[in-house]
Amino acid sequence: MLNFQDPNVIVQEIVHMPAVQPHSTFRIQLNPYSNRRSGEALAAFDDIFLWEFFTTLDLEWSVIRGNRPYRWTI
């Protein structure tokens, strides 16, 4: 097993690291919806999450308030 605390291993890892590129070559994509297909997929997952959250909210709230017993199947 590789010991990452060993100084020789640390030196080997540093030697094999790629050189840092200047900032002009970095392409940082801040908006996850800029690509149309990925944006549509993310929007669909958001809709599914919100649907699940709101449809189970009354059940979860009744368990939290103690009106319904907690069961492991929830």
Side-chain angles (χ1 to χ4, degrees):
M1 182 160 202
L2 194 56
N3 181 9
F4 287 105
Q5 301 300 325
D6 184 22
N8 294 329
V9 174
I10 294 172
V11 169
Q12 286 177 352
E13 291 292 321
I14 291 173
V15 168
H16 293 294
M17 288 178 66
V20 176
Q21 300 294 323
H23 289 287
S24 62
T25 61
F26 286 123
R27 302 276 186 221
I28 299 175
Q29 187 174 359
L30 297 177
N31 185 1
Y33 295 106
S34 64
N35 185 353
R36 181 182 168 125
R37 290 183 187 231
S38 66
E40 291 173 355
L42 288 174
F45 288 130
D46 289 344
D47 293 340
I48 292 169
F49 172 76
L50 288 173
W51 174 261
E52 290 294 325
F53 177 76
F54 285 116
T55 57
T56 61
L57 189 59
D58 61 335
L59 174 69
E60 299 289 338
W61 187 246
S62 65
V63 171
I64 291 170
R65 292 190 50 153
N67 297 339
R68 205 180 286 235
Y70 174 76
R71 297 187 183 129
W72 71 271
T73 56
I74 291 180

